[in-house]
Amino acid sequence: MKTEKFHQVSVLLSIFLILSLTWACQSGSETGNLPGQWPVLKHYDKDHVDRIALPLGGIGTGTVSLGGRGNLMDWEIMNRPAKGYNPGPRFEIAPFFVLFTEEDGHKDTRILEGPVPLYEYEGERGVFRATNHGMPRFEESTFDAAYPFGQVNLHHSGLPVSVRIKGFNPLVPADAQKSGIPIAVLEFELKNNTGHDIDAAISFSIQNFIGDDGKFGVSARNINEYREDQNLRGIFLKSEGVDKEAEQWGTIAIITSSTDNITYRTNWKKQHWGSSVLDFWDDFSEDGMLDERPSTGEDSPMASLASKIKLLPGEKKGIEFIIAWHFPNRMAWSDSKLKNYYATQYNDAWDVARKTMPEIKGLEDQTLEFINAFIEADLPDVVKEAALFNISTLRTQTCFRTEDGYFYTWEGCNDNTGCCFGSCTHVWNYEHATGHLFGELAMKKREIEFGLATQDDGLMNFRVRLPLENALSFGRAAADGQMGAIMKIYRDWQLSGDNEMLDKLYPNVKKALQFCWIPGGWDANMDGVMEGVQHNTMDVEYYGPNPQMGIWYLGALRAMEEMARYQGEEDFARECHELYTSGSKWLDENLFNGEYYIHKIQLPENIEDIHPNLVIGMGGDNRLDPEYQLGEGCLVDQLVGQYVAHICGLGYLVDSVNLRTTLKSIMKYNYMENLSEHFNCFRSYALGDEAALLMASYPYTRPENPFPYFTEVMTGFEYTAAVGMLYEGLEEDGLRCIRNIRDRYDGMKRSPFDEAECGHHYGRAMASWSAILAMTGFHYSAVDQSMSFNPTEGKYFWSNGYQYGTVEIKDLRKNKTVSLNLLNGELTLNSFLLNGFGHIEFASGKIFKPGQPVEFEVELNDTLK
């Protein structure tokens, strides 16, 4: 009996071992520096990759983008945008990776890129704009993304290996330091799909283009050095001829973490016709290794770095390359040279690699923790996509930090220059991603706005000149920008609990509101309604009461009321509340036409009635009969002040029934399922058969020449309306609007990581993050130490700019169970609210710590319904 049992066990063990070996051969072992499985939020098939450009780089560092076919593109690391700039010698040779394989004597060499797009086939010298077009390449590429993770899946029939390119840069909420490293991390995942050993090698080649940013400058006496330093092996690119004060001066490092058969070139054969790249190709194709070439004295020498490995049958290995850069000098819109913040953290590009490489696995894990928590939330994928992919704007040349740590922003980027200087308040008021992900950076903006850019009379310069001693020199105020800034400092105070910051800035916050009441100002008669001349984000002045500025003003009054009360100024708090109440009533009674809120044009009797600092000069010439008014149009973002009030927890600013009716009217009049028959007199950000929300519609009466953008479509404004719909329970309409936007940025027509308005990577588009806040009902106050969510069952992500985590809500008979999980820092709560359902008080404050989920029960409170 024992023998029989032993025989049965032996047979089972044999079967198990055979199955295990078979599985191992089929699935392959994983060795090298392979990270864990990366999440995928959005898959792009082979027909939707040509326009993809995923920016790789840190906050304030610039980026290089990973293209949808595996190409590196848009080298924007020298302190300015550089769309289409791919540095290299003649004949369109740009930075590229090449794969060499050898199986049983059969050799193959090909660039690690998918097919050249058909639209690139024609040019003045044949295929001219596409880079590296003459090299054998893969038949097909697809792309998987969960920003900042991008994965290019390359396929070629008959090739013995499968290839995946994995690119990322660390992105850790509440940690601008870890999210601000000037590197691009690229891992090449190779898998042997045969039953034979395979030799494989990857080489990266790049020209030393220091001094040339794609628009200005020129390279001079650039030098490439091979270095080995601890576990670092790579090539250091520097210059001995470029002016060290120039924006284009700096260093680049190309590093591999591989220790297998490292070969390199610090120079190529001298460039003449096609002989230089031919010499490289022949050399690498021989055995997957590189032989050095002597210096030719060229100002921009080429450099190549290669790693060769052996792949066993079924084996999977990763070869990692890191591109680091360090360009310390920036001009931006300054009259004198600035220094990048990241340049104070590192001495040069090699120092970036030296300090980052030992930490890269931990940084990847922290980034994965954030992204996995985010994409696992029980929200529609398109909402998560819109929110997450637009965060990429923070890493582009739209944003930068100076050596004092201050955070600045253009509105967006032109192809080669920043677009619209000065951290424009009336644009950046729409987005709430920065405040909820990087509270430190948001606070830096508030310090500039109120601490440096607000005059003694309360005028806030809505564009800040640089250097900072010129912060007051612009001398013009924007009504929406100034009111929104007041609401955002209230938001940032609540999120941070930084009472000292509020104490410091409060006097100027108060002046900024009181500026509304100056003679010739926005609300000179102090009735809670803006009747004066109001410059705004449409880049013109509106004359007379309108919902856009009017509701911003109501929101600022409410925010000011709360801050004044905290400061012990009860009389001023009461005055703000009375103005808010009066203004709200007036807007509902006089601007709401039964369907939406309108603009009542109110003209001054004399030019002298207009305060001179309220007119910018971009509107009509005749101030007594101005053009470019909204009039009785249905404006897409007329409720923007209410949208921000919901985010700030300030309640309803106007009648909630009117609000909901207005949102329905925006869908009725501004929504177009197909733009083919739409006449647009200005810029086209959507067209053809695409669906969108128009900036304004005129169901009844239209001014002869309305505000400039009324026929356009711009995503930041669409998100504002869509999020408003989500807050008011119009979920189907809100999601449709968000889905339409992301359908337009589909990888075929436009890059999913570049929503444009006045320039690429436009700041207002980050309003998409607010859909997360609306659908979860998340609100947090560090002042009260309270947190709230909607009571909908599910798991959700939350972040407040300083901590982040997840919450899981489950039904428990009549009540709800809540599991709150903190992923960083430490958090103390006095109370937790499920909106409209019930709340729980924590005696003496409940302390939450990372990795220690706390579960509690919230009882139904019928009085909250």
Side-chain angles (χ1 to χ4, degrees):
M1 194 70 166
K2 289 181 180 178
T3 304
E4 183 178 345
K5 285 185 177 180
F6 178 78
H7 176 71
Q8 291 173 345
V9 171
S10 298
V11 171
L12 288 172
L13 284 172
S14 299
I15 293 172
F16 174 76
L17 288 171
I18 292 170
L19 288 173
S20 298
L21 289 170
T22 302
W23 177 86
C25 184
Q26 290 175 344
S27 63
S29 59
E30 296 189 357
T31 59
N33 295 313
L34 289 170
Q37 186 71 26
W38 279 7
V40 176
L41 177 58
K42 180 76 172 182
H43 173 75
Y44 298 88
D45 64 28
K46 64 183 179 64
D47 296 322
H48 292 82
V49 297
D50 289 339
R51 296 293 185 184
I52 291 175
L54 186 150
L56 297 174
I59 296 173
T61 72
T63 59
V64 57
S65 289
L66 176 62
R69 62 179 185 270
N71 54 313
L72 294 181
M73 58 190 293
D74 300 341
W75 287 77
E76 302 175 287
I77 62 176
M78 294 186 188
N79 303 302
R80 72 169 56 251
K83 291 301 174 200
Y85 180 49
N86 300 300
R90 293 177 58 195
F91 302 109
E92 298 73 62
I93 301 300
F96 64 96
F97 287 92
V98 174
L99 171 69
F100 166 86
T101 57
E102 183 174 5
E103 177 199 9
D104 285 343
H106 176 73
K107 301 176 182 179
D108 184 272
T109 307
R110 62 187 60 250
I111 191 171
L112 282 155
E113 295 181 16
V116 173
L118 296 179
Y119 58 78
E120 299 278 19
Y121 275 32
E122 184 179 43
E124 62 185 45
R125 292 182 296 197
V127 180
F128 178 60
R129 297 186 185 279
T131 56
N132 309 315
H133 45 73
M135 302 178 186
R137 54 189 57 235
F138 285 74
E139 295 170 339
E140 183 178 299
S141 64
T142 61
F143 197 90
D144 294 321
Y147 187 81
F149 297 107
Q151 303 181 71
V152 183
N153 309 297
L154 295 172
H155 172 75
H156 194 85
S157 57
L159 199 66
V161 298
S162 55
V163 183
R164 174 178 292 147
I165 305 172
K166 305 171 75 172
F168 93 106
N169 177 287
L171 181 63
V172 183
D175 199 325
Q177 198 82 4
K178 291 178 179 177
S179 304
I181 305 173
I183 59 168
V185 182
L186 294 157
E187 177 116 26
F188 294 81
E189 190 176 280
L190 307 178
K191 182 182 178 185
N192 182 349
N193 296 319
T194 76
H196 310 281
D197 289 357
I198 292 176
D199 289 327
I202 291 177
S203 172
F204 178 57
S205 298
I206 184 173
Q207 184 185 51
N208 185 336
F209 63 103
I210 295 169
D212 183 358
D213 62 13
K215 184 175 178 64
F216 299 109
V218 63
S219 300
R221 298 188 358 246
N222 291 358
I223 296 172
N224 303 327
E225 294 178 350
Y226 177 74
R227 291 184 176 184
E228 291 189 5
D229 178 4
Q230 298 173 5
N231 293 323
L232 302 183
R233 294 169 176 80
I235 301 177
F236 183 60
L237 284 62
K238 63 180 183 178
S239 177
E240 293 184 351
V242 175
D243 182 357
K244 291 187 177 182
E245 300 300 311
E247 287 184 286
Q248 300 83 6
W249 177 81
T251 56
I252 302 171
I254 309 302
I255 307 291
T256 179
S257 61
S258 175
T259 58
D260 296 303
N261 294 322
I262 306 299
T263 57
Y264 61 90
R265 286 184 171 192
T266 57
N267 294 278
W268 276 19
K269 181 178 179 180
K270 188 175 179 65
Q271 174 65 35
H272 188 71
W273 297 105
S275 59
S276 181
V277 67
L278 175 64
D279 176 68
F280 162 82
W281 196 266
D282 286 346
D283 181 22
F284 190 64
S285 297
E286 178 64 27
D287 55 6
M289 302 180 76
L290 296 169
D291 295 324
E292 176 67 293
R293 294 292 184 263
S295 173
T296 62
E298 292 173 290
D299 283 325
S300 304
M302 290 289 294
S304 298
L305 181 68
S307 175
K308 187 176 181 180
I309 61 175
K310 183 176 291 292
L311 288 168
L312 302 178
E315 186 179 20
K316 185 189 293 184
K317 278 188 177 181
I319 300 177
E320 185 179 63
F321 287 83
I322 286 183
I323 304 169
W325 58 89
H326 184 276
F327 290 87
N329 309 317
R330 179 185 293 271
M331 290 298 294
W333 59 81
S334 177
D335 293 335
S336 59
K337 186 184 72 174
L338 308 170
K339 186 173 183 179
N340 284 317
Y341 174 77
Y342 80 82
T344 68
Q345 309 299 301
Y346 310 101
N347 297 324
D348 55 28
W350 195 265
D351 193 39
V352 174
R354 182 189 295 115
K355 290 177 177 176
T356 305
M357 286 291 284
E359 308 296 329
I360 199 65
K361 185 62 172 69
L363 292 168
E364 180 184 341
D365 288 344
Q366 286 182 275
T367 305
L368 282 168
E369 182 179 59
F370 160 46
I371 299 304
N372 281 323
F374 181 83
I375 68 174
E376 288 169 5
D378 293 322
L379 295 174
D381 283 351
V382 71
V383 169
K384 293 183 285 190
E385 175 196 334
L388 192 62
F389 288 17
N390 275 309
I391 295 173
S392 62
T393 293
L394 288 174
R395 332 260 264 183
T396 69
Q397 290 290 356
T398 294
C399 307
F400 63 95
R401 296 184 76 183
T402 49
E403 61 182 318
D404 52 17
Y406 281 127
F407 179 60
Y408 298 93
T409 51
W410 300 87
E411 292 183 22
C413 295
N414 295 320
D415 284 351
N416 301 110
T417 59
C419 177
C420 305
F421 77 95
S423 298
C424 179
T425 55
H426 64 60
V427 168
W428 285 89
N429 278 344
Y430 284 70
E431 72 87 15
H432 294 266
T434 307
H436 282 85
L437 288 172
F438 299 99
E440 172 195 358
L441 300 183
M443 196 70 79
K444 290 293 185 183
K445 278 203 166 190
R446 304 295 86 77
E447 290 179 21
I448 294 169
E449 290 163 358
F450 292 100
L452 300 170
T454 298
Q455 300 174 179
D456 289 340
D457 64 355
L459 182 150
M460 177 186 292
N461 290 257
F462 74 88
R463 296 189 189 275
V464 176
R465 296 192 188 278
L466 291 172
L468 279 177
E469 51 261 35
N470 298 328
L472 296 174
S473 64
F474 186 67
R476 294 292 185 272
D480 50 355
Q482 192 151 326
M483 298 302 100
I486 293 171
M487 296 182 75
K488 290 184 90 168
I489 194 171
Y490 173 78
R491 179 204 69 187
D492 292 337
W493 169 53
Q494 289 290 314
L495 290 175
S496 68
D498 192 342
N499 297 328
E500 290 184 7
M501 178 276 297
L502 183 65
D503 292 343
K504 175 184 175 182
L505 298 179
Y506 178 79
N508 276 4
V509 178
K510 183 176 180 180
K511 289 178 183 177
L513 183 71
Q514 292 173 323
F515 181 77
C516 298
W517 309 328
I518 63 172
W522 298 317
D523 184 19
N525 63 356
M526 295 186 65
D527 63 352
V529 179
M530 282 194 171
E531 300 96 350
V533 175
Q534 305 144 56
H535 184 78
N536 64 82
T537 200
M538 303 307 174
D539 295 322
V540 295
E541 289 79 43
Y542 287 169
Y543 289 65
N546 62 86
Q548 188 179 22
M549 266 56 70
I551 300 177
W552 271 123
Y553 181 31
L554 297 179
L557 287 166
R558 277 288 294 116
M560 195 73 238
E561 175 190 349
E562 297 297 328
M563 289 184 285
R565 185 166 290 117
Y566 178 82
Q567 290 289 319
E569 295 190 356
E570 286 294 338
D571 289 344
F572 190 61
R574 190 179 306 108
E575 182 178 24
C576 291
H577 181 77
E578 290 172 355
L579 286 174
Y580 152 72
T581 303
S582 172
S584 177
K585 184 173 184 292
W586 194 95
L587 261 62
D588 279 321
E589 292 178 350
N590 293 274
L591 297 189
F592 187 70
N593 69 358
E595 293 184 285
Y596 56 88
Y597 293 88
I598 64 169
H599 170 204
K600 289 195 171 183
I601 300 172
Q602 186 172 311
L603 304 178
E605 294 183 3
N606 302 290
I607 295 293
E608 293 75 21
D609 294 337
I610 306 172
H611 192 284
N613 297 113
L614 304 186
V615 178
I616 311 305
M618 298 174 68
D621 295 330
N622 186 352
R623 297 186 188 178
L624 298 182
D625 188 17
E627 296 180 294
Y628 306 119
Q629 301 301 291
L630 169 62
E632 295 190 18
C634 181
L635 185 65
V636 68
D637 68 325
Q638 59 188 280
L639 302 176
V640 58
Q642 181 62 72
Y643 146 86
V644 177
H646 280 323
I647 292 169
C648 293
L650 290 170
Y652 281 100
L653 304 178
V654 291
D655 183 270
S656 61
V657 175
N658 293 350
L659 191 71
R660 188 179 172 89
T661 301
T662 297
L663 291 165
K664 291 180 178 179
S665 296
I666 290 171
M667 283 300 293
K668 177 180 179 180
Y669 295 123
N670 296 46
Y671 180 74
M672 296 197 72
E673 188 67 36
N674 187 311
L675 290 166
S676 297
E677 300 300 314
H678 171 61
F679 171 76
N680 177 12
C681 63
F682 208 29
R683 305 164 301 184
S684 291
Y685 298 108
L687 68 164
D689 63 358
E690 295 177 323
L693 285 175
L694 299 179
M695 289 293 291
S697 60
Y698 287 90
Y700 306 111
T701 301
R702 196 201 81 187
E704 181 179 350
N705 192 13
F707 72 95
Y709 312 134
F710 80 102
T711 56
E712 292 186 353
V713 168
M714 292 184 268
T715 67
F717 294 98
E718 290 180 279
Y719 285 128
T720 300
V723 172
M725 296 170 193
L726 296 177
Y727 268 119
E728 299 309 317
L730 302 173
E731 187 171 300
E732 183 178 342
D733 287 340
L735 292 179
R736 180 186 302 171
C737 293
I738 295 172
R739 192 174 296 111
N740 288 337
I741 296 171
R742 296 309 299 173
D743 284 347
R744 303 200 298 265
Y745 289 84
D746 64 352
M748 176 190 289
K749 295 177 286 189
R750 304 173 184 88
S751 173
F753 308 97
D754 182 7
E755 290 192 17
E757 191 180 311
C758 187
H760 301 282
H761 310 293
Y762 202 78
R764 195 180 341 249
M766 288 202 299
S768 56
W769 185 266
S770 303
I772 304 295
L773 307 177
M775 296 202 76
T776 61
F778 173 73
H779 184 260
Y780 171 77
S781 171
V783 178
D784 299 332
Q785 294 185 320
S786 63
M787 184 180 288
S788 60
F789 288 90
N790 290 336
T792 309
E793 190 173 26
K795 185 176 182 180
Y796 306 104
F797 174 85
W798 60 267
S799 59
N800 61 20
Y802 302 89
Q803 297 91 22
Y804 68 97
T806 61
V807 65
E808 188 168 11
I809 302 168
K810 293 181 179 179
D811 294 335
L812 180 66
R813 296 179 295 277
K814 284 187 176 183
N815 300 330
K816 304 276 187 178
T817 61
V818 176
S819 178
L820 190 64
N821 186 21
L822 184 66
L823 295 176
N824 78 315
E826 188 172 286
L827 183 75
T828 301
L829 291 181
N830 290 327
S831 64
F832 183 94
L833 171 69
L834 290 178
N835 301 319
F837 183 87
H839 74 282
I840 184 173
E841 302 286 339
F842 300 113
S844 303
K846 180 68 178 176
I847 298 175
F848 295 80
K849 296 183 178 181
Q852 300 177 21
V854 175
E855 187 171 304
F856 49 90
E857 185 174 334
V858 178
E859 296 181 354
L860 174 65
N861 184 344
D862 290 323
T863 63
L864 294 177
K865 288 189 174 182

